[in-house]
Amino acid sequence: MKTVKNLLVSTIIAGTFLVQGTTGYAQTGTPAEVQSNEVIRPFKVYIPQKEITDLKRRIAATRWPDHETVADRSQGAQLEKLQELVNYWGKGYDWRKAEEKLNALPQFTTTIDGVNIHFIHVRSPYKNALPLIISHGWPGSVFELLKIIGPLTNPTAFGGRAEDAFDVVIPSLPGYGFSGKPTEAGWGPERIARAWDVLMKRLGYTLYAAQGGDWGAVITEAMGRQAPAGLAGIHLNLPATIPVEVDAALTTGSPAPAGLSGKELDVFNALSKYRKTGAAAYNVIMTARPQAIGYGLTDSPAGLAAWLLIHPGFSQWTYDDDSDKYPTKDEVLDDFTLYWLTNSSTSAARLYWENAGRGPISATAQKTTEIKLPVAITVFPEDVYRAPETWARRAYPNLTYFHEVDKGGHFAAWEQPQLFTEELRAAFKQLR
């Protein structure tokens, strides 16, 4: 059989290719379409049962460390809580339900710059809907954005108006989930940003907006700097707004610069504490040696779960199904299982290395003053960084919308989908 870059063509059934990656099979179109770089191919997820059986076997064989010596998460994921979650993962969690969620939506793949890109594309039933590309980050995935698809594309069913409608495009980042894994260095935020413009143009959109949080924000800011024809504006949660003098003080451990307002000083102190407690070491390790950390994440489901759970975005997750504020246990395991079954934890982690340690929330590092397009920002109170409006206005010359909401955290679309949707409606209203 011939190989297609990033995929192994294994079988032809009923005129379609079943494309085998490292983990499973997905319908992707005819043989000629698979080998065409610009064709958009329908995609369905199906993971062979042997892969799910192997996951459960590995969970059952987990070798656990001894108990932490503190009563909080300061040393990492707590043993008893992690054991309970991982035990449920092995005995109670059902991946097939996650497949059903994805396969209920229109999914596609297309090849851009040599890498196969998986994406969800849902068109609104309302004409004049604003096309919107939304980018996830680490350790998230398309799963964290599923709850906002309905409210964005069909607003009248969720308290909105027909004129609030969006066409929604949600790609898996290169190296993440069902997208292909880059086989060469160079797939950083700038290159992904260019690929996203190619994707939107390939879908026939001549005018569109972009949104992102976490790495998605870095990619969306890169799109804003590049300002491709047709990109009308961007919305960010976790924007890059830290001024150069503040960033320098944080980096060197110096006192806060003079002249900060009370709110700015509170943010400075919170960031300083964040760095001093070691939480920032997560970013350092991922940036310095993603391949090294990847060996453990690839071999042990429990190790993968433990590592993902110490990400600051999960710092307040409750490990159970009782809260209406955070993703449920099953929703979190949808995300973890996607990383496992696609064997993408290492390829995804390389995005940290590709960004070369450039601060994702540093205005200078992300060259925010070069963004001339309209920029909208929503600040969620439980995110790892809560940007003051004064810093945001310094960072973005054309800041057209800024709003601090009263609930939600790092995975805002996952945690507060209705509020997140309302923010996007308000932020992009001026672009219609």
Side-chain angles (χ1 to χ4, degrees), residues 20-265:
Q20 181 181 6
T22 58
T23 60
Y25 301 83
Q27 180 176 312
T28 63
T30 67
E33 288 172 342
V34 169
Q35 296 182 62
S36 171
N37 279 342
E38 296 188 3
V39 168
I40 295 171
R41 306 173 290 271
F43 182 92
K44 293 287 185 181
V45 177
Y46 176 73
I47 299 295
Q49 185 59 40
K50 66 179 182 179
E51 299 293 341
I52 299 172
T53 300
D54 179 67
L55 169 60
K56 294 179 182 294
R57 178 190 64 79
R58 288 171 180 267
I59 289 173
T62 299
R63 183 186 184 194
W64 294 99
D66 58 316
H67 202 282
E68 64 273 6
T69 58
V70 293
D72 56 27
R73 302 188 193 188
S74 60
Q75 293 182 352
Q78 294 166 291
L79 180 63
E80 291 178 2
K81 291 184 176 181
L82 183 63
Q83 285 178 322
E84 181 181 354
L85 178 67
V86 171
N87 180 64
Y88 174 75
W89 193 6
K91 297 179 179 179
Y93 170 77
D94 184 358
W95 164 256
R96 296 302 182 201
K97 293 181 179 179
E99 284 187 353
E100 290 175 4
K101 292 179 193 177
L102 292 175
N103 290 336
L105 297 164
Q107 298 175 87
F108 305 89
T109 63
T110 191
T111 303
I112 301 176
D113 198 7
V115 173
N116 199 55
I117 300 298
H118 162 260
F119 62 98
I120 296 167
H121 182 203
V122 182
R123 294 185 185 272
S124 172
Y126 297 102
K127 68 176 185 178
N128 300 322
L130 178 65
L132 176 64
I133 185 167
I134 307 176
S135 301
H136 66 81
W138 165 285
S141 66
V142 296
F143 275 117
E144 71 180 270
L145 301 168
L146 297 187
K147 293 179 182 179
I148 63 175
I149 294 174
L152 289 173
T153 58
N154 191 13
T156 59
F158 295 88
R161 306 168 302 164
E163 51 266 39
D164 294 325
F166 294 87
D167 281 359
V168 173
V169 179
I170 303 175
S172 297
L173 303 188
Y176 286 69
F178 293 108
S179 279
K181 299 176 175 65
T183 57
E184 61 183 6
W187 273 96
E190 298 282 343
R191 191 168 178 178
I192 298 172
R194 290 191 291 272
W196 280 188
D197 181 61
V198 172
L199 175 59
M200 295 303 279
K201 300 288 175 49
R202 193 170 292 178
L203 292 173
Y205 294 125
T206 57
L207 180 72
Y208 68 95
Q211 197 285 326
D214 194 84
W215 280 116
V218 180
I219 292 164
T220 303
E221 285 160 339
M223 295 178 74
R225 286 194 303 276
Q226 293 167 4
L231 179 60
I234 64 175
H235 175 274
L236 309 165
N237 52 302
L238 200 68
T241 68
I242 299 179
V244 60
E245 70 276 10
V246 173
D247 195 34
L250 290 167
T251 301
T252 60
S254 303
L260 296 185
S261 68
K263 187 166 189 175
E264 292 169 343
L265 185 59

Side-chain angles (χ1 to χ4, degrees), residues 10-19 25 27 29-31:
S10 62
T11 311
I12 302 176
I13 296 180
T16 66
F17 264 3
L18 292 180
V19 177
Y25 301 83
Q27 180 176 312
T30 67

Side-chain angles (χ1 to χ4, degrees), residues 205-358:
Y205 294 125
T206 57
L207 180 72
Y208 68 95
Q211 197 285 326
D214 194 84
W215 280 116
V218 180
I219 292 164
T220 303
E221 285 160 339
M223 295 178 74
R225 286 194 303 276
Q226 293 167 4
L231 179 60
I234 64 175
H235 175 274
L236 309 165
N237 52 302
L238 200 68
T241 68
I242 299 179
V244 60
E245 70 276 10
V246 173
D247 195 34
L250 290 167
T251 301
T252 60
S254 303
L260 296 185
S261 68
K263 187 166 189 175
E264 292 169 343
L265 185 59
D266 287 344
V267 173
F268 177 90
N269 289 335
L271 287 170
S272 180
K273 180 180 178 181
Y274 170 76
R275 296 194 182 196
K276 289 177 181 177
T277 57
Y282 190 98
N283 181 72
V284 174
I285 294 170
M286 295 280 281
T287 300
R289 298 293 185 270
Q291 191 74 13
I293 195 70
Y295 291 115
L297 305 185
T298 298
D299 190 59
S300 167
L304 174 65
W307 183 251
L308 298 185
L309 284 172
I310 66 168
H311 182 277
F314 280 115
S315 63
Q316 298 185 49
W317 184 62
T318 57
Y319 290 82
D320 57 38
D321 295 321
D322 297 332
S323 175
D324 61 358
K325 188 177 185 181
Y326 297 100
T328 67
K329 182 165 55 179
D330 281 333
E331 288 170 344
V332 168
L333 289 175
D334 288 345
D335 185 65
F336 290 7
T337 310
L338 178 65
Y339 275 88
W340 179 265
L341 293 175
T342 58
N343 193 17
S344 58
S345 58
T346 306
S347 56
R350 293 191 191 110
L351 185 53
Y352 282 79
W353 183 87
E354 290 286 358
N355 205 44
R358 288 184 290 272

Side-chain angles (χ1 to χ4, degrees), residues 411-428:
F411 298 105
W414 219 359
E415 301 164 15
Q416 299 293 336
Q418 185 62 30
L419 176 59
F420 192 86
T421 298
E422 292 168 358
E423 282 300 296
L424 295 193
R425 291 172 183 166
F428 289 127

Side-chain angles (χ1 to χ4, degrees), residues 387-407:
E389 184 173 0
T390 49
W391 292 357
R393 296 202 175 278
R394 285 181 59 183
Y396 302 94
N398 193 13
L399 183 65
T400 56
Y401 180 87
F402 183 93
H403 190 207
E404 296 178 78
V405 295
D406 60 0
K407 53 187 175 181

